Amino acid sequence: LELIEQYGADAVRFYLTILCAQGQDIRLDPAGFEMGRNFSNKIWNAFNVFGRFIQPDKNYRRTRSIEELELVERWMLTRLAECIEDVEEALTNYRLNEAANLLYTTFRNDYCDWYLELVKPRRDLAMSEERVALSVEIYEQLIQLLHPFMPFITEELWHRLRPRAEGEACMVSRWPTATDERDTTGAKQFAFLQETVTAIRHLRSKYNVAPTKGIEVTLSLSEEQSELADKMLACEGYFEKLARVTHLRVGINIPKPPQCASTVVGSTLIYVQGLVDPAEERQRLGKSLVQREAFLLRVQKKLQNEKFINRAPANVVERERQKEQDAKAEIEQLKTSLAAWMDA
């Protein structure tokens, strides 16, 4: 009762369910109940993203087919169908903790972090009725799936989504069923976009780029990925919303532009301009070069010591020789990178 008073009944129920793995003892951690409470807040705040555009007494229903939806919408419907199937399988096999974790990941990561981030309108703009209808449709099924674990908040939100007849409670509603309305090809394309955006975000974080600063991005695809070029260019708005990409260039085997940061996703090379100050990058590379050269000298000095070679176990000596080779390779890479920035 004290935990319910502090964190809420839904938060306590949800966290206890996650802990109930078959064949394991439960170890209570107060931070887990905070996670449950934070998830409850996430569910409520997600409703407000589109709920503020819901007109009272209006029953929103989607009229567009999946072929008429844009990529992120088709991806979310596909993820929802997969989630329903996975949750049903987990519940059928009495793996309640697995079902709860699946719902947590799908709602928090897929629905909130990707879908809502892309469909929510910019400040002072309204959300279209069609988009509200789809958001209601997906959200409604997610809270039905969550209802056995978090009955109170889901019941309250159930009645805020659309007009309900007396007795039409979430608790007695028909359980969601996975439909064939999916786009597996589009889902794979969006998964590639997610990996790419995540890599760009990591570069922004690595170079401490301000969240409001726009950047230019080049995606150099391999020959095998040629069909993705037009698809990614069509998603330029997604890149702008998710990673503040102000200009996107996509092509096959594009050479690396001068003075840019880079990373790799599979066989795709990602070049990002506008992240690095040339003087600061030269200083950083120069400092790293000095450190690696000093490290190499220490390793070589050890390897030149006959007592070490004769007395140390063979695997230890081999490990030091590998360190020497790795350090030499890193030094060459640093010298090449530093040379590329000298004229910047």
Side-chain angles (χ1 to χ4, degrees):
L1 291 177
E2 292 178 1
L3 290 172
I4 292 175
E5 181 68 25
Q6 183 175 357
Y7 298 104
D10 284 331
V12 172
R13 285 170 61 105
F14 189 74
Y15 178 56
L16 289 177
T17 303
I18 285 181
L19 288 179
C20 291
Q22 292 177 335
Q24 294 184 15
D25 294 331
I26 292 178
R27 295 183 179 180
L28 291 180
D29 180 1
F33 295 110
E34 292 180 9
M35 178 276 291
R37 181 176 59 191
N38 292 340
F39 186 45
S40 296
N41 292 336
K42 190 81 169 179
I43 294 170
W44 192 272
N45 292 336
F47 167 76
N48 288 331
V49 171
F50 62 89
R52 56 198 172 102
F53 301 106
I54 291 178
Q55 299 178 22
D57 302 323
K58 184 164 186 174
N59 194 356
Y60 289 87
R61 298 290 179 184
R62 173 166 60 100
T63 60
R64 294 177 296 167
S65 66
I66 191 168
E67 291 79 12
E68 298 174 287
L69 302 177
E70 63 178 75
L71 179 61
V72 66
E73 296 171 325
R74 301 196 306 272
W75 167 79
M76 190 64 237
L77 283 176
T78 304
R79 286 292 300 119
L80 175 63
E82 294 169 347
C83 176
I84 292 172
E85 290 177 340
D86 293 342
V87 169
E88 283 186 350
E89 181 184 359
L91 292 177
T92 300
N93 291 283
Y94 304 102
R95 299 194 300 268
L96 303 184
N97 65 307
E98 183 178 323
N101 273 306
L102 283 167
L103 288 168
Y104 179 81
T105 301
T106 301
F107 191 95
R108 188 177 184 276
N109 297 352
D110 296 337
Y111 187 71
C112 294
D113 292 351
W114 292 96
Y115 172 75
L116 285 183
E117 281 300 314
L118 286 173
V119 303
K120 69 181 181 183
R122 297 185 185 277
R123 187 176 300 178
D124 300 328
L125 295 178
M127 183 180 284
S128 68
E129 285 194 12
E130 278 293 334
R131 183 152 281 175
V132 171
L134 180 60
S135 298
V136 168
E137 175 186 334
I138 298 170
Y139 187 88
E140 185 174 54
Q141 293 180 73
L142 286 172
I143 64 171
Q144 284 178 288
L145 295 170
L146 281 165
H147 185 73
F149 309 101
M150 309 179 79
F152 299 104
I153 188 173
T154 52
E155 190 68 61
E156 174 65 27
L157 289 165
W158 168 263
H159 291 280
R160 291 173 180 251
L161 288 172
R162 61 176 90 250
R164 308 287 185 187
E166 185 176 351
E168 191 182 354
C170 183
M171 182 175 62
V172 295
S173 63
R174 184 182 295 274
W175 185 255
T177 56
T179 68
D180 293 329
E181 197 175 30
R182 312 181 194 195
D183 180 8
T184 53
T185 301
K188 291 178 181 178
Q189 293 169 0
F190 193 81
F192 173 76
L193 182 144
Q194 288 177 297
E195 291 181 324
T196 306
V197 167
T198 300
I200 295 170
R201 286 172 169 175
H202 285 165
L203 280 178
R204 293 185 67 106
S205 176
K206 176 181 177 180
Y207 290 100
N208 297 315
V209 179
T212 56
K213 182 179 179 181
I215 56 175
E216 296 182 15
V217 172
T218 298
L219 302 183
S220 178
L221 307 177
S222 64
E223 294 286 350
E224 294 75 16
Q225 298 174 304
S226 57
E227 75 283 353
L228 282 174
D230 291 339
K231 302 293 185 182
M232 290 301 103
L233 276 175
C235 295
E236 187 169 5
Y238 290 175
F239 283 93
E240 195 280 329
K241 264 193 171 184
L242 296 170
R244 290 292 293 136
V245 175
T246 53
H247 179 71
L248 179 67
R249 181 187 177 200
V250 184
I252 309 300
N253 297 327
I254 299 176
K256 182 179 179 180
Q259 290 85 48
C260 72
S262 63
T263 188
V264 179
V265 172
S267 57
T268 301
L269 296 171
I270 304 173
Y271 307 130
V272 183
Q273 296 171 281
L275 289 184
V276 186
D277 178 84
E280 292 180 358
E281 185 64 4
R282 285 195 295 268
Q283 183 179 4
R284 185 187 71 83
L285 290 171
K287 183 178 179 180
S288 297
L289 180 59
V290 170
Q291 291 174 344
R292 297 315 293 170
E293 287 176 335
F295 174 78
L296 177 61
L297 286 175
R298 291 195 299 270
V299 173
Q300 289 177 331
K301 185 176 180 180
K302 184 182 291 187
L303 290 173
Q304 291 167 1
N305 187 331
E306 292 185 5
K307 290 183 179 180
F308 171 76
I309 298 297
N310 294 330
R311 295 179 181 179
N315 64 317
V316 174
V317 175
E318 182 59 32
R319 188 161 59 241
E320 292 301 313
R321 286 176 175 154
Q322 186 61 50
K323 288 181 182 179
E324 180 185 28
Q325 296 303 315
D326 292 343
K328 287 180 178 179
E330 290 179 33
I331 288 170
E332 287 304 313
Q333 290 179 347
L334 286 169
K335 286 181 177 179
T336 301
S337 298
L338 185 58
W341 285 95
M342 292 309 294
D343 297 329

